[in-house]
């Protein structure tokens, strides 16, 4: 393990059937992929979380990018673009066995306006002739300046570890947003945290960035048949704290009410939810703080 732990959000985009789900399942394992399907935010769906000793990559889906052309196009394009500009990197996946189609082109056209690094991932190389690879890549590369190009096979795994290793190196220094053991042993901690985070994003109208973290601290005691859940919302700046709390606590109260309803539905029992908001400047870099808040690193 290296000194610097890295973490970040990576958007994975591509038209249907290029192999996005296959790729996620290979890296994350079915259990977590299925579980996190419940953990949707309004704009971004967490597809899966990859964690190793050096880095954590949170893969997000971008709903707008898959929409067909209609009167909502402009709005959806804007939503997708704002997502793209919030993540740390974008994987644009194409299929090596298919010609470039309108679906691929549509996505690439949107990516032209994005300032974050875009990687071209050519999937299904197990099924193509090597001579066909370069001409295909050129069709994309002459239109967009990719940070790197990775030919992979999501199905068989070729080049996937190499791609991950390079991707990790481009991520910023940061904590394990999601504790690895809780993901596997206590998925409900993670799902509950994500539900709360989703409500924050919903109610703050995108003013609070993805760096907001929700740490579920306790969730095992029952008082009067109500499960006691305590969670801390961690933000980096005073302004973000004010937004999350809202006028006379209106936002945090609404976050609590909406979250509790969904958590009760999810867990099938009555819940008493307590929320705190804490500011930790540059908390992503502060290891002492992360230990206090239950992160592993
Ligand atoms: P998605 O719609 O982008 O999520 O694509 P899927 O992951 O559902 O994959 C679509 C189809 O492509 C499925 O039949 C997969 O088995 C197949 N597929 C995905 N990755 C690969 C690959 O690396 N090689 C080959 N030969 N087929 C693949
Ligand atoms: K599919
Ligand atoms: Mg899929």
């Amino acid at each position: 393990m290296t000194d610097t732990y890295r973490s970040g959000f990576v958007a994975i985009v591509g038209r249907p059937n290029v192999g996005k789900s296959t790729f996620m399942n290979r890296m994350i394992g079915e259990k977590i992929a299925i579980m996190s399907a419940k953990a949707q935010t309004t704009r971004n769906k967490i597809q899966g979380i990859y964690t190793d000793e050096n880095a954590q990559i949170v893969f997000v889906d971008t709903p707008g990018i898959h929409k067909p052309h209609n009167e909502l196009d402009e709005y959806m394009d804007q939503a997708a673009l704002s997502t793209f500009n919030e993540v740390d990197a974008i994987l644009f996946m194409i299929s090596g066995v298919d010609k470039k189609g309108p679906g691929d082109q549509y996505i690439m056209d949107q990516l032209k306006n994005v300032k974050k690094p875009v990687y071209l991932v050519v999937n299904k190389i197990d099924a193509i002739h090597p001579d066909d690879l370069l001409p295909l890549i050129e069709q994309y590369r002459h239109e967009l300046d990719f940070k790197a190009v990775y030919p992979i096979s999501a199905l068989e795994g070729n080049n996937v570890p190499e791609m991950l290793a390079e991707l990790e190196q481009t991520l910023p220094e940061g904590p394990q947003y999601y504790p690895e053991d809780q993901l596997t042993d206590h998925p409900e901690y993670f799902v509950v945290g994500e539900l709360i985070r989703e409500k924050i994003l919903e109610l703050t109208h995108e003013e609070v960035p993805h760096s907001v973290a929700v740490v579920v601290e306790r969730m095992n005691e029952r008082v009067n048949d109500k499960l006691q859940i305590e969670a801390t919302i961690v933000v980096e700046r005073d302004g973000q704290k004010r937004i999350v709390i809202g006028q006379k606590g209106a936002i945090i109260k609404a976050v609590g009410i909406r979250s509790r309803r969904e958590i009760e539905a999810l867990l099938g029992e009555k819940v008493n939810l307590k929320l705190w908001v804490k500011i930790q400047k540059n908390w992503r870099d502060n290891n002492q703080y992360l230990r206090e808040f239950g992160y592993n690193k």
Side-chain angles (χ1 to χ4, degrees):
M1 129 142 222
T2 54
D3 289 346
T4 308
Y5 199 82
R6 297 179 182 279
S7 59
F9 292 84
V10 173
I12 171 164
V13 293
R15 63 161 177 79
N17 289 321
V18 295
K20 299 179 297 295
S21 302
T22 307
F23 174 73
M24 292 310 309
N25 286 340
R26 158 160 296 278
M27 285 194 311
I28 278 107
E30 306 230 358
K31 189 175 170 192
I32 290 172
I34 289 165
M35 181 198 69
S36 59
K38 290 179 187 162
Q40 301 199 2
T41 67
T42 41
R43 288 166 312 142
N44 300 327
K45 180 172 127 192
I46 290 184
Q47 290 193 308
I49 299 168
Y50 170 82
T51 308
D52 67 25
E53 57 189 7
N54 300 315
Q56 182 170 69
I57 308 174
V58 182
F59 287 98
V60 297
D61 191 17
T62 50
I65 205 77
H66 306 303
K67 292 288 177 216
H69 298 264
N70 56 38
E71 71 272 17
L72 283 177
D73 259 8
E74 204 175 326
Y75 172 79
M76 296 309 291
D77 285 2
Q78 280 310 115
L81 275 179
S82 71
T83 294
F84 285 152
N85 284 317
E86 283 168 19
V87 296
D88 298 295
I90 296 150
L91 296 184
F92 172 32
M93 186 177 283
I94 62 169
S95 162
V97 299
D98 297 299
K99 290 201 167 63
K100 182 164 117 185
D104 302 303
Q105 187 65 47
Y106 177 70
I107 295 170
M108 187 155 66
D109 287 342
Q110 299 203 48
L111 291 176
K112 286 173 185 168
N113 301 313
V114 167
K115 296 182 181 54
K116 294 301 166 81
V118 180
Y119 296 82
L120 180 66
V121 181
V122 187
N123 189 29
K124 312 194 186 184
I125 57 162
D126 58 283
I128 66 169
H129 194 281
D131 290 349
D132 297 335
L133 186 58
L134 268 181
L136 180 68
I137 290 172
E138 278 315 316
Q139 289 185 2
Y140 290 86
R141 201 152 57 179
H142 88 271
E143 282 193 52
L144 200 63
D145 186 21
F146 295 101
K147 170 118 178 166
V149 179
Y150 296 104
I152 68 162
S153 168
L155 201 61
E156 298 187 351
N158 317 23
N159 253 346
V160 172
E162 289 82 355
M163 180 173 94
L164 283 177
E166 275 195 45
L167 199 56
E168 284 180 358
Q169 283 315 303
T170 67
L171 296 179
E173 201 172 322
Q176 232 179 279
Y177 289 94
Y178 303 98
E180 192 177 16
D181 57 343
Q182 293 188 358
L183 277 183
T184 49
D185 300 341
H186 304 285
E188 65 274 17
Y189 272 67
F190 168 74
V191 174
V192 165
E194 274 305 297
L195 277 176
I196 297 168
R197 205 169 143 264
E198 173 192 72
K199 298 304 162 225
I200 296 165
L201 293 178
E202 250 175 54
L203 286 156
T204 57
H205 305 292
E206 311 189 6
E207 287 158 86
V208 174
H210 289 283
S211 59
V212 73
V214 175
V215 181
V216 176
E217 322 249 14
R218 261 172 292 281
M219 191 166 76
N220 43 31
E221 194 192 342
R222 282 177 187 78
V223 177
N224 296 331
D225 270 349
K226 278 191 180 179
L227 180 65
Q228 308 292 305
I229 301 180
E230 296 180 27
T232 302
I233 299 161
V234 187
V235 295
E236 285 189 314
R237 287 190 296 278
D238 195 44
Q240 294 170 345
K241 180 175 176 178
R242 264 184 274 124
I243 290 170
V244 169
I245 290 175
Q247 293 280 344
K248 297 185 173 147
I251 299 291
I252 187 87
K253 197 171 165 193
V255 167
I257 291 169
R258 289 195 194 183
S259 303
R260 181 175 49 77
R261 268 192 215 127
E262 290 198 20
I263 295 166
E264 286 180 340
L266 180 78
L267 301 178
E269 65 177 311
K270 288 285 176 197
V271 161
N272 184 25
L273 176 64
K274 282 186 194 155
L275 296 175
W276 284 271
V277 185
K278 299 221 172 180
I279 305 171
Q280 178 65 36
K281 292 198 172 60
N282 304 320
W283 70 273
R284 295 152 78 169
D285 300 332
N286 187 328
N287 288 334
Q288 172 64 32
Y289 177 81
L290 293 172
R291 269 197 299 279
E292 282 171 15
F293 279 82
Y295 285 88
N296 292 336
K297 295 283 182 284

